[in-house]
Every structure is written in structure tokens, then in C-alpha cells.
Amino acid sequence: GAGVSQTPSNKVTEKGKYVELRCDPISGHTALYWYRQSLGQGPEFLIYFQGTGAADDSGLPNDRFFAVRPEGSVSTLKIQRTERGDSAVYLCASSPKDRGDYGYTFGSGTRLTVV
Amino acid sequence: GESVGLHLPTLSVQEGDNSIINCAYSNSASDYFIWYKQESGKGPQFIIDIRSNMDKRQGQRVTVLLNKTVKHLSLQIAATQPGDSAVYFCAENRARGGGFKTIFGAGTRLFVKA
């Protein structure tokens, strides 16, 4: 597609539930990133994929968070046993391989609200 | 610790005036910086970047200045327009795992008064 697509745009879930957030990167972009942005803050790095593998997952806050990218394109961020503190906008970005020096293209994010 | 941060949380300017948004960083090994613009309900949008071997780079109506001595960079927007109203982030790219991880500062909200 023309840009990075994230679905859903909004998600409200109850505390303790499981959620999945989807990211469709720009076609041909091999690098994919997940960030989390809390209100009034800058985006916080979660995980980075190069192709199908997670090259850097150092930003995942705990083992309730997991992300996959099985075919090297679409990625899913999975959050188990959601907590109110997980409420934030989850941003996905992609970039061509070896093109980190051009910045990323971000999607519009998924706003997750845990009630 | 390592951080990329901004001096002011908000900036209000008159339409047509120039805007200057400042940013400090603490990692002296940082060698690549990016400015992003984020409008309400959207993801950050790349504006301009600069490498540490440069001290100035110009784009369309925007200029980024880098002072490595004091670890400071700034974004200058000429003839600020209402469409420039947004949150601006400075960010640092760090090479990790064959790719890059971008570390963002907290952001400065720019208000443009008509």
C-alpha cells in the first residue's frame, strides 16, 4: 500500500483480556518497528523486526507483550492479561533495509484503552 | 543515562514569524538525528535529518542546526503557518541488530496564532 496501515484504529478492552494489534508495512520494507506512545510523551521503542526475525526486542516491557511477523510483511503485537497501564497509542513504522538514515514511515497508530 | 530531550514543552508563535525548537542530547556518540512532526491522531512524520559530520542542513522552510560541543540541536521553521501547528520531536537513531532504533524526546507542542 501507499503507507503503513494499522488496525484497529481504536480498541477498548477490559482489564485482563487479550488483544492483538495489526500492522501492514509499506510493501517491500523489510524493517518494521513497534513503538508505544503515552499521552504527552514521545514514542517509546518496543521491538524491531528485520524480515521475519525480531532483531531487537529490548523495549518490550514484560512477557505479557509479544510480537510476530511470520512472513516478513504483516506484524501483530499481542498483549496478554491487559492492564490499565497498557493504555496508550501503539505505533508501527517501517523502513527499507539499510535505510535507517532516512527515518521511518509511521502508521497512524492503534489507540488502546484498557478499562 | 542516555536521553534525548527538549527544553520547552510548548511554543506559541505568530503566523509568519520564524519558529525555533530546541533539543538537547546526552549521548556524545550519537551521530544521526531526525526531527519528526506529529499532528493530532497521526503518527510522527519525518521532517529533516542531520549527521554529526554536519552542523547545518536546510530543507523547504526548515533548517536543522547541530552543535556537537554542547550536544544541542534545533529546528528552525521559517514563516510559520497554521499547518505547522503540531508536536515536534527530535530523535536519535542508534544502530542495533543490523538496523536502527530511534530514541525520541518528549516533544514540543507548537501553536501558531493567526
Side-chain angles (χ1 to χ4, degrees), chain B residues 38-57:
Chain B
Q38 187 174 27
E39 296 174 286
S40 180
K42 297 183 180 180
Q45 177 185 8
F46 175 93
I47 302 174
I48 192 169
D49 59 1
I50 190 167
R51 292 201 173 277
S52 60
N53 61 353
M54 304 169 69
D55 54 21
K56 181 179 180 179
R57 191 172 188 201

Side-chain angles (χ1 to χ4, degrees), chain B:
Chain B
E2 299 174 345
S3 67
V4 178
L6 300 182
H7 292 308
L8 297 173
T10 62
L11 176 65
S12 184
V13 299
Q14 195 70 37
E15 181 180 359
D17 289 350
N18 295 335
S19 303
I20 300 176
I21 301 172
N22 295 303
C23 178
Y25 64 95
S26 58
N27 186 351
S28 57
S30 301
D31 63 359
Y32 178 63
F33 303 90
I34 309 167
W35 281 99
Y36 283 91
K37 172 187 180 183
Q38 187 174 27
E39 296 174 286
S40 180
K42 297 183 180 180
Q45 177 185 8
F46 175 93
I47 302 174
I48 192 169
D49 59 1
I50 190 167
R51 292 201 173 277
S52 60
N53 61 353
M54 304 169 69
D55 54 21
K56 181 179 180 179
R57 191 172 188 201
Q58 288 185 291
Q60 186 177 10
R61 284 202 306 118
V62 294
T63 301
V64 55
L65 300 178
L66 175 63
N67 185 330
K68 295 181 288 295
T69 301
V70 295
K71 291 184 284 188
H72 178 274
L73 67 159
S74 67
L75 177 70
Q76 300 179 3
I77 305 173
T80 312
Q81 303 169 0
D84 295 327
S85 294
V87 177
Y88 290 80
F89 295 97
C90 66
E92 165 197 13
N93 262 19
R94 299 179 188 173
R96 288 288 296 268
F100 297 86
K101 178 169 71 176
T102 296
I103 307 298
F104 286 82
T108 292
R109 182 174 294 279
L110 176 65
F111 292 99
V112 181
K113 297 177 290 187

Side-chain angles (χ1 to χ4, degrees), chain A residues 38-52:
Chain A
S38 300
L39 189 64
Q41 301 294 319
E44 173 191 17
F45 171 81
L46 295 177
I47 186 170
Y48 152 59
F49 287 90
Q50 185 62 259
T52 61

Side-chain angles (χ1 to χ4, degrees), chain A residues 5-68:
Chain A
S5 176
Q6 292 188 248
T7 54
S9 55
N10 283 282
K11 176 71 176 178
V12 180
T13 190
E14 292 181 347
K15 179 176 177 293
K17 298 292 188 182
Y18 167 83
V19 297
E20 291 189 351
L21 312 179
R22 177 187 168 105
C23 173
D24 274 281
I26 291 174
S27 178
H29 281 193
T30 58
L32 184 146
Y33 308 81
W34 283 100
Y35 282 78
R36 178 170 70 175
Q37 186 173 27
S38 300
L39 189 64
Q41 301 294 319
E44 173 191 17
F45 171 81
L46 295 177
I47 186 170
Y48 152 59
F49 287 90
Q50 185 62 259
T52 61
D56 183 355
D57 64 357
S58 62
L60 295 178
N62 51 60
D63 60 7
R64 294 187 298 105
F65 288 75
F66 189 71
V68 295

Side-chain angles (χ1 to χ4, degrees), chain A residues 82-102:
Chain A
T82 51
E83 300 177 356
R84 292 195 177 87
D86 299 333
S87 296
V89 175
Y90 289 82
L91 293 164
C92 177
S94 69
S95 70
K97 184 180 179 182
D98 298 332
R99 294 291 292 269
D101 59 348
Y102 281 78

